Amino acid sequence: MPDAITTGQITPELAGGILTIDLNALRNNWLLLQNASRGAICSAVVKADAYGTGQDQAVATLAAAGCQTFFVAHAAEAFRARAAAPDAIIYMLNGLPPGTAQRIAASGVRPVLGSVAEIAEWRRDAGGAPAALHIDTGMSRLGLSATEAAAVASQGIGAGSGGGHDGVCLILSHFVSAEEPDSPLNDVHIARFTEMSRLFPGIAASLANSSGIMLPQQPHFELTRPGYALYGGNPTPGRVNPMHPVVKLECRIIQLRDVDAGATVGYNARWRAPAPSRIAVISLGYADGFSRRASVRNTGEPQPLAGGAAVVAGTLCPMAGMVSMDLIAIDISAVPHDDVVAGDMVTLIGGELDVDVVAQRLGTIGYEVLTSLGHRYARHYIGEAGATP
Ligand SMILES: *Cc1c(COP(=O)(O)O)cnc(C)c1O
């Protein structure tokens, strides 16, 4: 893939926003996480379009780096990953939709069986094709309870028994708060998972997501499952981010305007210029996945969050007023007048505004910022998907 804008006829000067995805950083993050997994196999979680970065490019890049196991949520994502990495192992975290075992088995992707009913269908219809088994250690979302796991184990799992071979070759569970290393829940999950995994001797086990890999307990078992950290998110909140930034979002200033003291900006007049001010209007809004929680108000109700910001000519500038569908106003009064002209790009994600900082300002998590990234940006991929270094 050439190092160029890839959206049809949209050359850089026509693009409203440019989303740059650094595939070299993605590859280096996977290598770092593989190293941190200390001998366990390191897979890659590429659900939700690889956290907004582009599933095809991410899968091809990671497969070329040596990643052989991928996790997605849905069947559509699994079939897509299968096409991008024909030799890889692909697991569907959201389990087996009823009545689909034969189709899923024939496609060569592996469901993560999440209930007794799913196990029964797979055993009956999948002809012993491989699958994973989800056990619940406290999330109460998907997976077998301790009682159900014991009952299933007593029928024999993996090897053929009674009702046939179920093909289970991996058991997994998921932490509820691995990003809080001091949470006592982490030890509870590790203990429960260790105990439940003894019910399934000889079957590989997997517990750690990105933050789980970084826990001092090193709960790596045989396979780790990082997602967020691959895409540059900080798996160790509150500490220095060990990951390389993958995502950069820049957007064009389409108009500059000077407003008088007392002038209001945007819908519902929620921002009032406290002094003569300079406003930059950028070509991006909530339709591009930039949440209305980025709105900055200084009239009416007090502003509960820091709100959105952009780096304009090297200066961090707050947004002004409500985020519109396609436009956001930025208060650039602190930027020297001659340092900025219409057409310049400002940075919304990248540098000091990394994904975790943006999320904190908006009162959400970086996962949501990434997976909300819109589809109107020109996408620019750095590094060739699938190329070896
Ligand atoms: C999304 C997900 C992951 C990846 O988690 P990150 O925190 O993004 O590393 C791992 N396992 C399961 C079951 C998931 O749903």
Side-chain angles (χ1 to χ4, degrees), residues 204-266:
S206 173
L207 180 59
N209 65 334
S210 298
S211 294
I213 295 171
M214 303 297 174
L215 285 174
Q217 296 94 327
Q218 302 192 356
H220 301 147
F221 296 89
E222 280 76 39
L223 181 104
T224 59
R225 306 189 311 272
Y228 187 52
L230 288 172
Y231 311 102
N234 188 356
T236 59
R239 289 189 277 151
V240 173
N241 187 354
M243 313 314 299
H244 307 282
V246 171
V247 172
K248 184 174 181 191
L249 177 60
E250 296 162 291
C251 189
R252 190 175 304 288
I253 297 174
I254 51 181
Q255 203 172 103
L256 292 165
R257 49 201 309 136
D258 294 299
V259 298
D260 296 332
T264 66
V265 172

Side-chain angles (χ1 to χ4, degrees), residues 83-99:
D87 302 324
I89 295 170
I90 295 158
Y91 286 105
M92 295 161 47
L93 286 166
N94 283 12
L96 184 66

Side-chain angles (χ1 to χ4, degrees), residues 45 47 51 93 134 141 172-174 208-211 225-229 367:
V45 180
K47 61 194 178 188
Y51 292 52
L93 286 166
H134 205 144
R141 239 172 25 173
L172 65 83
S173 186
H174 196 38
N209 65 334
S210 298
S211 294
R225 306 189 311 272
Y228 187 52
Y367 294 70

Side-chain angles (χ1 to χ4, degrees), residues 174-213:
H174 196 38
F175 281 112
V176 301
S177 39
E179 73 287 357
E180 297 169 15
D182 298 329
S183 168
L185 285 176
N186 295 324
D187 280 330
V188 170
H189 278 261
I190 293 166
R192 282 187 193 151
F193 188 67
T194 303
E195 191 177 323
M196 283 165 86
S197 65
R198 289 207 189 99
L199 295 168
F200 306 101
I203 296 184
S206 173
L207 180 59
N209 65 334
S210 298
S211 294
I213 295 171

Side-chain angles (χ1 to χ4, degrees), residues 30-31 139 156 172 175 177 210 214 221 249 261 279 324 352 364 373:
W30 184 77
L31 293 171
M139 185 76 92
L172 65 83
F175 281 112
S177 39
S210 298
M214 303 297 174
F221 296 89
L249 177 60
I279 298 293
S324 303
E352 64 183 293
T364 183
L373 286 170

